Amino acid sequence: MTAHYPGGVSADPASFPPQQLSLDELPEALSETTFVVVDLETTGSRPQEAGITEIGAVKLRGADDVAEFATLVHPRHPIPPFITLLTGITEAMVSTAPPVEAVLPAFLEFARDHVLVAHNAAFDVGFLKAVCAQHGFDWPSPPILDTVSLARQLFPRSEVRNHKLGTLAQHLGLEQQPRHRALDDARATAGVLRAAMERAQGQGVTTLPELRSLSASPASAAQRRARSRVDLDGIPALPGVYVFEDAHGQALYIGKSANIRSRVASYFTGSEKRRHIRQMLDLAHRVRPIVCPTALEAEVRELRLIAEHTPHYNRRPRKPGQFVWLRIAPEREPSPSALRIERCANPVPAGTAGPAPACLGPFSSVREAELARAALRQALGSVALRPTSGPASTPRPQEPTTAELLEGAMHRDTEMVRTPLTRRIESLAAQQRYEEAGQVRDRLSAYLRGARRQQRLTALASCSHLVAARRTRPYGEPTAEEHRWELAVVRSGRLAASGVLPPEADPQAYLRATVATAETVSGGPGPTPAASATEMEAVLAWLEQPGTRLVELTGTWACPIDGAERYRDLTDWHRGEYPAQ
C-alpha cells in the first residue's frame, strides 16, 4: 500500500527503517546506506535575492528506490520569464503552494539522518542552508555527496564530453531524462548515482567513506597497484587492529578501527594524502587483521604491537624505552643536585627490592624534564636543608632531611614546590619582570604535569587486581539498540583481559570466567612495573569515563591528597590557558 503525506511525499510504509539513525550511526556499506537525492527549482541563483519554487527528492537504500518527495513552493519572489520558459513553472502554479517555511519541516524529516546527494551540490545545499537560517531552522549538517564530482572521477572526459546532468543521463541511457523540474531531475540524478556506485563497486569501492573519498579525489597509480596486491575480501568488517606487512612479513604500519575492512580500504582512496602512508603502500603486500572485543583492548593491542615491532611508518606513540623520567641518581646522596634525567621504560632499576626510589614523569621531552628539575631545585633550594650523614648532621626532631623533602615533593606533597614558586611568580609580576615570571611559571607547570602523571600511574600500579564494567554500545556496532556491559581486568596497571557481556549470559558466571582466563601479571615497584605509561594512561582514560563501575579491587586506588591532581588547572599554563581568578 502507498501512503500519502503532506507536501507531496509518497512511500511504501514497509520500506522505512524501524528507527531513525543519528549521524554518527550511518551504516558504512553502500548496500545499507540510505541516500536522499534532492533537486531544487528557484527564481534565481542567489538565495538572498531568490526563492525556491519546487523541491523534488528521491530516497534510495543502496540502489533501490524507497520513497519520493515533491512539492511546489510559493517563492515570495516574482518568477522571471526566462525561468518560466526553462522550467514551465508559472506564477499561477505556485500562487496556492505553501511557503518554504511550511515545507521545510517535512523535507528535513524526509532527509533526516541520511546522506544528501545533489548534482552540483553546492547550489542546492547552499539554498537549503540559507532558507533554514532565514526561517530559524537548524541545519542538520548531513554528509554531502556531489554527483558532479563523482562522475568526473568515474566517467572521464574521454568517455563523455561533459558532466552536465543531461549529458550524463543521455550517455548512461537513463529512462528518466532531466527537464528542469525538481522531481524529474532528482530521479535523473538518482540514476547517475546508481550508475556511479555500480562502476565504483567494480573498482573495489564498497563503503560510504570510500565513495565519498572517491568523489573528493582519485586514488594514485601507486595506490591502485597496492590495492591489487592486498586481499580486502579476507579482512573482516569487525573491530580490532590491522597490520600492514611487506612481502617478507615485516610490519610496516599498525592501526586500529571499529571496522577493520572499511578502514584498510580507505588507505587506497584519494582521501589518503599522507606521504609516508603512500610510501608504505608501495611496499605493502598483505594486511593481518586482529579482531578485538572492545575499543580498550584494540587500543592496548595497537600500542603493544607498535612497541614490539617498531614499524617504520608509525609516527606515534613514543617507544616505551624512550620515555623521559626524572629520578635521583642511585649512586649519590639524595639532594636536588642528584636529580638525573633518563630515557627508559621504567625509572626503577630491574631487581629493585623494597620501596621504589623517588622519580617523576614521564615527560613529553627532555626540555620538559629540565624545567621540572629546575622547579625542584628552585623550591627546595630555598629551604634550610641539613646534610643527611655524619655525627654533626643528625637532624633535630621533626626536621625533615633532604631526602625526605625531595621524596615528598616528587611523590606526595606538591605544595612544597607550588607555594614558593607561586609566590615567586607573584613577586616578579608585581615588579613587572614578566619574562622571568613566565620562566618560573613554565617550570612549575612542567613539574606539576610530571608529578600528576607519576602519581596517577603509581596509584593504578599499586592495584594488583582491578575489575571494572561500563555500559556501552558494543565496539564496532554503532547502531545497536541495546547497550551492553564491557568488562576490563587490570592487574598492576596492565590490561589482563576484556570482554563484552553477551545479552543472555549470567553476569556472575561471565565475570568469573573472564577473571579466571585473564593474564597473570607480576607487579613490582615503581609507577610502571607491568605496562608502558601509554598503555596505563589508556586504561585510566577508560576507567574515568562516566558510568564506569568498580567490580573488584585488590589494593588502594587513590592519589595523595596534597598531590598534583588538585592543581591540574595550573598544568595548562604552558598553552596560554590561565586558571580563573
Side-chain angles (χ1 to χ4, degrees):
M1 182 178 84
T2 300
H4 297 276
Y5 298 87
V9 182
S10 65
D12 180 357
S15 65
F16 283 108
Q19 63 174 9
Q20 293 287 342
L21 305 179
S22 71
L23 293 177
D24 294 333
E25 299 170 339
L26 286 168
E28 292 191 334
L30 290 178
S31 59
E32 300 173 2
T33 301
T34 301
F35 302 91
V36 172
V37 186
V38 64
D39 185 82
L40 305 180
E41 298 301 332
T42 66
T43 62
S45 59
R46 296 171 58 86
Q48 298 79 8
E49 302 169 357
I52 296 174
T53 59
E54 190 174 32
I55 302 176
V58 177
K59 184 178 292 186
L60 308 176
R61 184 167 306 120
D64 300 324
D65 287 5
V66 172
E68 292 184 343
F69 180 104
T71 181
L72 289 167
V73 181
H74 194 296
R76 292 202 176 99
H77 288 269
I79 301 178
F82 77 92
I83 293 292
T84 297
L85 184 63
L86 180 68
T87 65
I89 299 175
T90 64
E91 296 279 6
M93 293 171 61
V94 299
S95 61
T96 58
V100 70
E101 62 268 26
V103 172
L104 272 177
F107 173 75
L108 294 176
E109 178 63 24
F110 180 80
R112 184 164 65 95
D113 297 341
H114 303 314
V115 180
L116 199 61
V117 184
H119 203 72
N120 188 19
F123 175 82
D124 300 276
V125 173
F127 247 96
L128 289 170
K129 290 174 68 174
V131 295
C132 280
Q134 290 168 9
H135 297 285
F137 292 95
D138 291 331
W139 176 247
S141 300
I144 306 296
L145 193 62
D146 190 344
T147 49
V148 172
S149 300
L150 195 59
R152 285 172 179 162
Q153 304 301 338
L154 294 168
F155 305 106
R157 292 293 292 269
S158 59
E159 180 181 343
V160 59
R161 69 178 185 273
N162 59 54
H163 297 97
K164 295 179 180 179
L165 182 58
T167 304
L168 288 168
Q170 186 176 13
H171 171 74
L172 296 170
L174 300 181
E175 180 179 348
Q176 179 63 63
Q177 296 290 313
R179 59 186 189 93
H180 296 291
R181 290 299 301 268
L183 184 58
D184 290 337
D185 289 9
R187 288 169 175 167
T189 304
V192 172
L193 176 63
R194 278 190 288 265
M197 286 196 295
E198 183 178 353
R199 180 164 292 194
Q201 287 170 332
Q203 299 180 9
V205 174
T206 60
T207 67
L208 177 60
E210 293 170 9
L211 189 68
R212 295 185 70 196
S213 298
L214 184 65
S215 68
S217 58
S220 67
Q223 286 176 303
R224 291 194 294 270
R225 288 194 300 269
R227 172 66 183 83
S228 67
R229 294 193 300 268
V230 176
D231 179 20
L232 287 181
D233 294 334
I235 300 176
L238 295 171
V241 178
Y242 53 90
V243 183
F244 279 90
E245 297 177 338
D246 63 14
H248 305 290
Q250 184 75 25
L252 299 170
Y253 184 84
I254 299 171
K256 68 180 186 299
S257 177
N259 186 321
I260 305 174
R261 187 179 190 279
S262 174
R263 182 68 185 99
V264 169
S266 71
Y267 285 88
F268 303 99
T269 67
S271 63
E272 182 52 74
K273 303 294 186 184
R274 293 171 293 177
R275 179 179 298 179
H276 72 287
I277 293 299
R278 291 198 172 197
Q279 292 172 348
M280 180 273 294
L281 292 175
D282 284 339
L283 304 175
H285 276 254
R286 65 184 65 88
V287 176
R288 175 163 57 94
I290 303 171
V291 176
C292 300
T294 65
L296 176 60
E297 182 171 328
E299 183 173 3
V300 168
R301 279 184 176 269
E302 179 193 31
L303 292 171
R304 291 178 184 174
L305 286 169
I306 291 173
E308 177 185 355
H309 297 284
T310 60
H312 177 72
Y313 293 96
N314 276 95
R315 296 187 173 178
R316 64 171 183 86
R318 185 184 303 275
K319 300 175 185 177
Q322 294 297 307
F323 287 123
V324 181
W325 295 88
L326 187 63
R327 73 184 184 105
I328 299 173
E331 69 277 3
R332 300 181 61 183
E333 191 69 25
S335 69
S337 62
L339 291 171
R340 187 167 70 187
I341 295 172
E342 292 184 342
R343 287 183 180 272
C344 55
N346 191 345
V348 180
T352 299
C359 63
L360 209 64
F363 294 92
S364 60
S365 65
V366 171
R367 179 183 179 277
E368 188 92 343
E370 288 281 9
L371 289 170
R373 178 164 60 179
L376 282 165
R377 287 176 172 173
Q378 182 175 350
L380 299 183
S382 63
V383 180
L385 300 177
R386 297 176 61 89
T388 57
S389 61
S393 63
T394 303
R396 288 173 291 183
Q398 298 182 346
E399 184 174 312
T401 65
T402 302
E404 290 170 342
L405 282 170
L406 186 57
E407 182 181 354
M410 296 178 79
H411 277 188
R412 295 179 301 278
D413 189 3
T414 55
E415 191 66 25
M416 67 175 64
V417 177
R418 189 200 70 86
T419 299
L421 264 64
T422 300
R423 288 173 180 169
R424 182 60 177 163
I425 293 170
E426 293 171 349
S427 173
L428 291 169
Q431 301 173 53
Q432 298 186 359
R433 295 161 62 183
Y434 299 119
E435 185 174 347
E436 294 175 66
Q439 293 172 352
V440 179
R441 175 205 64 199
D442 292 343
R443 293 172 191 168
L444 176 58
S445 296
Y447 159 75
L448 289 172
R449 283 192 294 275
R452 178 173 179 265
R453 293 187 76 184
Q454 179 267 328
Q455 290 164 8
R456 281 164 49 81
L457 296 174
T458 300
L460 184 61
S462 68
C463 301
S464 59
H465 176 75
L466 182 153
V467 181
R470 186 166 65 90
R471 196 170 179 82
T472 184
R473 289 191 177 97
Y475 183 45
E477 298 181 26
T479 60
E481 295 182 20
E482 296 184 0
H483 286 60
R484 300 182 190 173
W485 285 99
E486 281 185 357
L487 291 179
V489 180
V490 182
R491 291 172 174 168
S492 298
R494 182 179 180 86
L495 181 66
S498 77
V500 179
L501 179 66
E504 305 300 326
D506 177 3
Q508 291 300 325
Y510 185 81
L511 172 63
R512 289 193 297 269
T514 303
V515 171
T517 57
E519 177 185 356
T520 300
V521 178
S522 298
T528 57
S532 71
T534 309
E535 174 179 335
M536 293 178 68
E537 288 180 330
V539 171
L540 281 168
W542 186 88
L543 290 171
E544 293 168 348
Q545 291 185 53
T548 303
R549 301 183 184 181
L550 285 177
V551 180
E552 296 178 355
L553 178 63
T554 303
T556 301
W557 184 24
C559 287
I561 192 169
D562 289 324
E565 189 73 12
R566 67 187 295 188
Y567 298 118
R568 55 189 306 180
D569 60 334
L570 302 183
T571 61
D572 288 331
W573 278 7
H574 71 301
R575 302 173 188 160
E577 301 168 11
Y578 295 85
Q581 300 297 319

